Amino acid sequence: MLRDNLFCALLLIAVFLCDSIIGEGEYFKREHSLMKPYQGTGMVIPNWEFFGSTMVTQAFVRLTADQQSRIGGLYNKNPITFRNWAIQLHFKVSGKGKELFGDGFAFWYVKDPLELGPVFGSKDYFVGLGLFFDTYANQNGAHSHGHPYISAMINNGTQHYDHDRDGTHTELAGCEGKFRNVDHETIVEIRYENDVLSVGTDFESRGAFKECFSVKGVILPSNYYIGVSAATGELSDNHDVIAIKTFQLTSSSPSENDDRSHMLPSASQFAAPRPRIDDKPQSMSNLKFFLLIICVIIGIIIIAAVSILVFQRHQETSRKRFY
Ligand SMILES: [Ca+2]
């Protein structure tokens, strides 16, 4: 009996450890993670807060539907207290648009809990890290990349995210990624370890992450909040979050215990700046051109009709006068 109880206890401990420790030095943090089933009681997700157009279903959390002018967001209510972390974001971006769709979504690691705003649904002049999944190329001047484009920005609260330039003038690093309208789950891993920020993607369901970028010398204080937000404008897409898995990394450097509470986010390296070019006036779309032609034709017909009427009236008056 005692032996059976002991065996059960050991089994329970083993199950618990397997759940918490994923890889060596990687500890799964349930309080910073979002997994199915999402809801506790009513419209509440334990540890998470959501806002705007965000809708919680059985299979995903939809930040925006494939409809115009939607803004939605989701953030973890517990600040991340540990220095080194890895976060796996399982998401899906899909929609009816074949050539025109947007605008995209963002992952955040920021000083304050998310608030509604103009940068993919969250506020501008943020303090921390923004990782943008930009599906629509606003393109001010030629980029060297295509879209969808993933790019990171480190902000100390003074920088503006410029949609007209697709954020490329303030980007830390980035890569292209074909994550839209694919059948399988798309996953991104954001890793912050010993001041190195790296992003890896698995958009082909290979079960392994492909490096998007890795940048050294990135300072991000602890006690910041993670979140995800999305926005649609004239163009739209479904922006869905399926899971967020957060791991504490313990493979630490000797400076692990430095007090960073008074430091601001910074990076020692940025992407080469690109000069600002004033946008050319937008060329008219085919529909607008067609409508303009119709208006001109109608205008000519009205002017002609009025002229004929005036002319006839004038003729009649002259005839009357003549007789
Ligand atoms: Ca854009």
Side-chain angles (χ1 to χ4, degrees), residues 114-136:
L114 299 198
E115 276 171 50
L116 275 179
V119 185
F120 298 98
S122 191
K123 72 170 185 183
D124 201 359
Y125 298 99
F126 58 92
V127 180
L129 161 73
L131 185 68
F132 310 117
F133 296 76
D134 188 358
T135 46
Y136 179 67

PDB file of all heavy atoms in Angstrom, residues 114-136:
ATOM      1  N   LEU A 114      -1.372  47.321 -22.611  1.00  0.00           N
ATOM      2  CA  LEU A 114      -1.766  47.881 -23.917  1.00  0.00           C
ATOM      3  C   LEU A 114      -2.962  48.820 -23.788  1.00  0.00           C
ATOM      4  O   LEU A 114      -3.816  48.648 -22.932  1.00  0.00           O
ATOM      5  CB  LEU A 114      -2.148  46.774 -24.901  1.00  0.00           C
ATOM      6  CG  LEU A 114      -1.116  45.729 -25.298  1.00  0.00           C
ATOM      7  CD1 LEU A 114      -1.558  45.031 -26.575  1.00  0.00           C
ATOM      8  CD2 LEU A 114       0.270  46.294 -25.476  1.00  0.00           C
ATOM      9  N   GLU A 115      -2.963  49.804 -24.695  1.00  0.00           N
ATOM     10  CA  GLU A 115      -4.100  50.724 -24.806  1.00  0.00           C
ATOM     11  C   GLU A 115      -4.416  50.847 -26.290  1.00  0.00           C
ATOM     12  O   GLU A 115      -3.516  50.783 -27.124  1.00  0.00           O
ATOM     13  CB  GLU A 115      -3.686  52.118 -24.333  1.00  0.00           C
ATOM     14  CG  GLU A 115      -3.754  52.327 -22.843  1.00  0.00           C
ATOM     15  CD  GLU A 115      -3.116  53.664 -22.477  1.00  0.00           C
ATOM     16  OE1 GLU A 115      -3.470  54.685 -23.089  1.00  0.00           O
ATOM     17  OE2 GLU A 115      -2.238  53.657 -21.599  1.00  0.00           O
ATOM     18  N   LEU A 116      -5.678  51.095 -26.609  1.00  0.00           N
ATOM     19  CA  LEU A 116      -6.081  51.297 -28.004  1.00  0.00           C
ATOM     20  C   LEU A 116      -5.249  52.400 -28.638  1.00  0.00           C
ATOM     21  O   LEU A 116      -5.013  53.432 -28.001  1.00  0.00           O
ATOM     22  CB  LEU A 116      -7.545  51.743 -28.063  1.00  0.00           C
ATOM     23  CG  LEU A 116      -8.631  50.686 -28.039  1.00  0.00           C
ATOM     24  CD1 LEU A 116      -9.989  51.351 -28.069  1.00  0.00           C
ATOM     25  CD2 LEU A 116      -8.500  49.768 -29.243  1.00  0.00           C
ATOM     26  N   GLY A 117      -4.802  52.197 -29.861  1.00  0.00           N
ATOM     27  CA  GLY A 117      -3.998  53.229 -30.504  1.00  0.00           C
ATOM     28  C   GLY A 117      -3.788  52.954 -31.977  1.00  0.00           C
ATOM     29  O   GLY A 117      -4.311  51.969 -32.516  1.00  0.00           O
ATOM     30  N   PRO A 118      -2.986  53.812 -32.628  1.00  0.00           N
ATOM     31  CA  PRO A 118      -2.860  53.753 -34.087  1.00  0.00           C
ATOM     32  C   PRO A 118      -1.805  52.779 -34.624  1.00  0.00           C
ATOM     33  O   PRO A 118      -1.705  52.604 -35.835  1.00  0.00           O
ATOM     34  CB  PRO A 118      -2.466  55.195 -34.445  1.00  0.00           C
ATOM     35  CG  PRO A 118      -1.706  55.668 -33.253  1.00  0.00           C
ATOM     36  CD  PRO A 118      -2.298  54.988 -32.063  1.00  0.00           C
ATOM     37  N   VAL A 119      -0.991  52.180 -33.756  1.00  0.00           N
ATOM     38  CA  VAL A 119       0.065  51.278 -34.251  1.00  0.00           C
ATOM     39  C   VAL A 119      -0.440  49.835 -34.167  1.00  0.00           C
ATOM     40  O   VAL A 119      -0.359  49.208 -33.111  1.00  0.00           O
ATOM     41  CB  VAL A 119       1.376  51.461 -33.458  1.00  0.00           C
ATOM     42  CG1 VAL A 119       2.483  50.614 -34.071  1.00  0.00           C
ATOM     43  CG2 VAL A 119       1.785  52.914 -33.425  1.00  0.00           C
ATOM     44  N   PHE A 120      -0.995  49.346 -35.264  1.00  0.00           N
ATOM     45  CA  PHE A 120      -1.571  48.001 -35.302  1.00  0.00           C
ATOM     46  C   PHE A 120      -2.473  47.772 -34.080  1.00  0.00           C
ATOM     47  O   PHE A 120      -2.411  46.736 -33.428  1.00  0.00           O
ATOM     48  CB  PHE A 120      -0.478  46.931 -35.390  1.00  0.00           C
ATOM     49  CG  PHE A 120       0.348  47.033 -36.640  1.00  0.00           C
ATOM     50  CD1 PHE A 120       1.586  47.665 -36.622  1.00  0.00           C
ATOM     51  CD2 PHE A 120      -0.129  46.525 -37.839  1.00  0.00           C
ATOM     52  CE1 PHE A 120       2.334  47.781 -37.788  1.00  0.00           C
ATOM     53  CE2 PHE A 120       0.622  46.639 -39.009  1.00  0.00           C
ATOM     54  CZ  PHE A 120       1.860  47.268 -38.978  1.00  0.00           C
ATOM     55  N   GLY A 121      -3.243  48.792 -33.760  1.00  0.00           N
ATOM     56  CA  GLY A 121      -4.235  48.656 -32.689  1.00  0.00           C
ATOM     57  C   GLY A 121      -3.791  49.129 -31.323  1.00  0.00           C
ATOM     58  O   GLY A 121      -4.603  49.245 -30.414  1.00  0.00           O
ATOM     59  N   SER A 122      -2.491  49.394 -31.149  1.00  0.00           N
ATOM     60  CA  SER A 122      -2.026  49.832 -29.834  1.00  0.00           C
ATOM     61  C   SER A 122      -1.357  51.204 -29.922  1.00  0.00           C
ATOM     62  O   SER A 122      -1.175  51.743 -31.008  1.00  0.00           O
ATOM     63  CB  SER A 122      -1.070  48.790 -29.258  1.00  0.00           C
ATOM     64  OG  SER A 122      -0.813  49.064 -27.898  1.00  0.00           O
ATOM     65  N   LYS A 123      -0.983  51.742 -28.747  1.00  0.00           N
ATOM     66  CA  LYS A 123      -0.573  53.155 -28.748  1.00  0.00           C
ATOM     67  C   LYS A 123       0.834  53.389 -29.319  1.00  0.00           C
ATOM     68  O   LYS A 123       1.700  52.520 -29.237  1.00  0.00           O
ATOM     69  CB  LYS A 123      -0.703  53.743 -27.348  1.00  0.00           C
ATOM     70  CG  LYS A 123       0.315  53.259 -26.354  1.00  0.00           C
ATOM     71  CD  LYS A 123       0.250  54.093 -25.087  1.00  0.00           C
ATOM     72  CE  LYS A 123       1.350  53.682 -24.144  1.00  0.00           C
ATOM     73  NZ  LYS A 123       1.307  54.398 -22.881  1.00  0.00           N
ATOM     74  N   ASP A 124       0.990  54.582 -29.884  1.00  0.00           N
ATOM     75  CA  ASP A 124       2.262  55.015 -30.457  1.00  0.00           C
ATOM     76  C   ASP A 124       3.158  55.522 -29.309  1.00  0.00           C
ATOM     77  O   ASP A 124       2.712  55.622 -28.178  1.00  0.00           O
ATOM     78  CB  ASP A 124       1.969  56.137 -31.459  1.00  0.00           C
ATOM     79  CG  ASP A 124       3.100  56.315 -32.464  1.00  0.00           C
ATOM     80  OD1 ASP A 124       4.100  55.590 -32.377  1.00  0.00           O
ATOM     81  OD2 ASP A 124       2.969  57.199 -33.334  1.00  0.00           O
ATOM     82  N   TYR A 125       4.391  55.849 -29.624  1.00  0.00           N
ATOM     83  CA  TYR A 125       5.346  56.351 -28.623  1.00  0.00           C
ATOM     84  C   TYR A 125       5.390  55.407 -27.412  1.00  0.00           C
ATOM     85  O   TYR A 125       5.378  55.836 -26.266  1.00  0.00           O
ATOM     86  CB  TYR A 125       5.000  57.787 -28.199  1.00  0.00           C
ATOM     87  CG  TYR A 125       5.067  58.770 -29.352  1.00  0.00           C
ATOM     88  CD1 TYR A 125       3.913  59.155 -30.014  1.00  0.00           C
ATOM     89  CD2 TYR A 125       6.289  59.260 -29.801  1.00  0.00           C
ATOM     90  CE1 TYR A 125       3.971  60.026 -31.103  1.00  0.00           C
ATOM     91  CE2 TYR A 125       6.359  60.128 -30.887  1.00  0.00           C
ATOM     92  CZ  TYR A 125       5.196  60.513 -31.529  1.00  0.00           C
ATOM     93  OH  TYR A 125       5.256  61.357 -32.594  1.00  0.00           O
ATOM     94  N   PHE A 126       5.404  54.112 -27.697  1.00  0.00           N
ATOM     95  CA  PHE A 126       5.432  53.094 -26.640  1.00  0.00           C
ATOM     96  C   PHE A 126       6.825  52.987 -26.049  1.00  0.00           C
ATOM     97  O   PHE A 126       7.803  53.473 -26.635  1.00  0.00           O
ATOM     98  CB  PHE A 126       4.974  51.748 -27.214  1.00  0.00           C
ATOM     99  CG  PHE A 126       5.812  51.275 -28.380  1.00  0.00           C
ATOM    100  CD1 PHE A 126       6.911  50.450 -28.176  1.00  0.00           C
ATOM    101  CD2 PHE A 126       5.511  51.673 -29.682  1.00  0.00           C
ATOM    102  CE1 PHE A 126       7.689  50.014 -29.244  1.00  0.00           C
ATOM    103  CE2 PHE A 126       6.289  51.256 -30.756  1.00  0.00           C
ATOM    104  CZ  PHE A 126       7.379  50.424 -30.537  1.00  0.00           C
ATOM    105  N   VAL A 127       6.920  52.360 -24.893  1.00  0.00           N
ATOM    106  CA  VAL A 127       8.216  52.119 -24.252  1.00  0.00           C
ATOM    107  C   VAL A 127       8.411  50.610 -24.209  1.00  0.00           C
ATOM    108  O   VAL A 127       7.683  49.907 -23.502  1.00  0.00           O
ATOM    109  CB  VAL A 127       8.252  52.719 -22.824  1.00  0.00           C
ATOM    110  CG1 VAL A 127       9.605  52.457 -22.167  1.00  0.00           C
ATOM    111  CG2 VAL A 127       7.954  54.216 -22.864  1.00  0.00           C
ATOM    112  N   GLY A 128       9.381  50.125 -24.993  1.00  0.00           N
ATOM    113  CA  GLY A 128       9.634  48.686 -25.014  1.00  0.00           C
ATOM    114  C   GLY A 128       9.848  48.169 -26.421  1.00  0.00           C
ATOM    115  O   GLY A 128      10.393  48.864 -27.280  1.00  0.00           O
ATOM    116  N   LEU A 129       9.390  46.935 -26.629  1.00  0.00           N
ATOM    117  CA  LEU A 129       9.555  46.271 -27.928  1.00  0.00           C
ATOM    118  C   LEU A 129       8.212  46.136 -28.639  1.00  0.00           C
ATOM    119  O   LEU A 129       7.232  45.727 -28.020  1.00  0.00           O
ATOM    120  CB  LEU A 129      10.142  44.864 -27.693  1.00  0.00           C
ATOM    121  CG  LEU A 129       9.979  43.840 -28.816  1.00  0.00           C
ATOM    122  CD1 LEU A 129      10.888  44.149 -29.997  1.00  0.00           C
ATOM    123  CD2 LEU A 129      10.274  42.421 -28.301  1.00  0.00           C
ATOM    124  N   GLY A 130       8.202  46.488 -29.929  1.00  0.00           N
ATOM    125  CA  GLY A 130       7.048  46.197 -30.784  1.00  0.00           C
ATOM    126  C   GLY A 130       7.534  45.320 -31.919  1.00  0.00           C
ATOM    127  O   GLY A 130       8.573  45.619 -32.533  1.00  0.00           O
ATOM    128  N   LEU A 131       6.848  44.215 -32.166  1.00  0.00           N
ATOM    129  CA  LEU A 131       7.217  43.347 -33.287  1.00  0.00           C
ATOM    130  C   LEU A 131       6.017  43.345 -34.231  1.00  0.00           C
ATOM    131  O   LEU A 131       4.937  42.889 -33.858  1.00  0.00           O
ATOM    132  CB  LEU A 131       7.525  41.936 -32.782  1.00  0.00           C
ATOM    133  CG  LEU A 131       8.045  40.960 -33.830  1.00  0.00           C
ATOM    134  CD1 LEU A 131       9.444  41.345 -34.304  1.00  0.00           C
ATOM    135  CD2 LEU A 131       8.082  39.538 -33.280  1.00  0.00           C
ATOM    136  N   PHE A 132       6.226  43.898 -35.431  1.00  0.00           N
ATOM    137  CA  PHE A 132       5.099  44.150 -36.332  1.00  0.00           C
ATOM    138  C   PHE A 132       5.023  43.131 -37.458  1.00  0.00           C
ATOM    139  O   PHE A 132       6.036  42.813 -38.070  1.00  0.00           O
ATOM    140  CB  PHE A 132       5.222  45.561 -36.921  1.00  0.00           C
ATOM    141  CG  PHE A 132       5.467  46.597 -35.867  1.00  0.00           C
ATOM    142  CD1 PHE A 132       6.638  47.349 -35.851  1.00  0.00           C
ATOM    143  CD2 PHE A 132       4.543  46.799 -34.848  1.00  0.00           C
ATOM    144  CE1 PHE A 132       6.885  48.279 -34.857  1.00  0.00           C
ATOM    145  CE2 PHE A 132       4.771  47.734 -33.845  1.00  0.00           C
ATOM    146  CZ  PHE A 132       5.942  48.479 -33.853  1.00  0.00           C
ATOM    147  N   PHE A 133       3.818  42.647 -37.685  1.00  0.00           N
ATOM    148  CA  PHE A 133       3.543  41.692 -38.765  1.00  0.00           C
ATOM    149  C   PHE A 133       2.711  42.458 -39.771  1.00  0.00           C
ATOM    150  O   PHE A 133       1.482  42.459 -39.720  1.00  0.00           O
ATOM    151  CB  PHE A 133       2.797  40.468 -38.217  1.00  0.00           C
ATOM    152  CG  PHE A 133       3.619  39.689 -37.219  1.00  0.00           C
ATOM    153  CD1 PHE A 133       3.802  40.158 -35.924  1.00  0.00           C
ATOM    154  CD2 PHE A 133       4.220  38.499 -37.581  1.00  0.00           C
ATOM    155  CE1 PHE A 133       4.582  39.456 -35.014  1.00  0.00           C
ATOM    156  CE2 PHE A 133       4.992  37.786 -36.680  1.00  0.00           C
ATOM    157  CZ  PHE A 133       5.179  38.273 -35.388  1.00  0.00           C
ATOM    158  N   ASP A 134       3.417  43.168 -40.664  1.00  0.00           N
ATOM    159  CA  ASP A 134       2.804  44.156 -41.540  1.00  0.00           C
ATOM    160  C   ASP A 134       2.415  43.494 -42.864  1.00  0.00           C
ATOM    161  O   ASP A 134       3.281  43.098 -43.639  1.00  0.00           O
ATOM    162  CB  ASP A 134       3.825  45.279 -41.760  1.00  0.00           C
ATOM    163  CG  ASP A 134       3.246  46.456 -42.506  1.00  0.00           C
ATOM    164  OD1 ASP A 134       2.067  46.392 -42.885  1.00  0.00           O
ATOM    165  OD2 ASP A 134       3.981  47.437 -42.706  1.00  0.00           O
ATOM    166  N   THR A 135       1.106  43.385 -43.116  1.00  0.00           N
ATOM    167  CA  THR A 135       0.672  42.689 -44.334  1.00  0.00           C
ATOM    168  C   THR A 135       0.456  43.642 -45.505  1.00  0.00           C
ATOM    169  O   THR A 135       0.403  43.223 -46.646  1.00  0.00           O
ATOM    170  CB  THR A 135      -0.628  41.894 -44.081  1.00  0.00           C
ATOM    171  OG1 THR A 135      -1.549  42.724 -43.380  1.00  0.00           O
ATOM    172  CG2 THR A 135      -0.358  40.649 -43.274  1.00  0.00           C
ATOM    173  N   TYR A 136       0.329  44.952 -45.228  1.00  0.00           N
ATOM    174  CA  TYR A 136       0.074  45.905 -46.309  1.00  0.00           C
ATOM    175  C   TYR A 136       1.265  46.842 -46.505  1.00  0.00           C
ATOM    176  O   TYR A 136       1.718  47.494 -45.556  1.00  0.00           O
ATOM    177  CB  TYR A 136      -1.190  46.721 -46.014  1.00  0.00           C
ATOM    178  CG  TYR A 136      -1.462  47.738 -47.095  1.00  0.00           C
ATOM    179  CD1 TYR A 136      -1.812  47.325 -48.372  1.00  0.00           C
ATOM    180  CD2 TYR A 136      -1.326  49.100 -46.846  1.00  0.00           C
ATOM    181  CE1 TYR A 136      -2.029  48.247 -49.383  1.00  0.00           C
ATOM    182  CE2 TYR A 136      -1.546  50.037 -47.849  1.00  0.00           C
ATOM    183  CZ  TYR A 136      -1.894  49.599 -49.118  1.00  0.00           C
ATOM    184  OH  TYR A 136      -2.104  50.509 -50.113  1.00  0.00           O
TER     185      TYR A 136
END
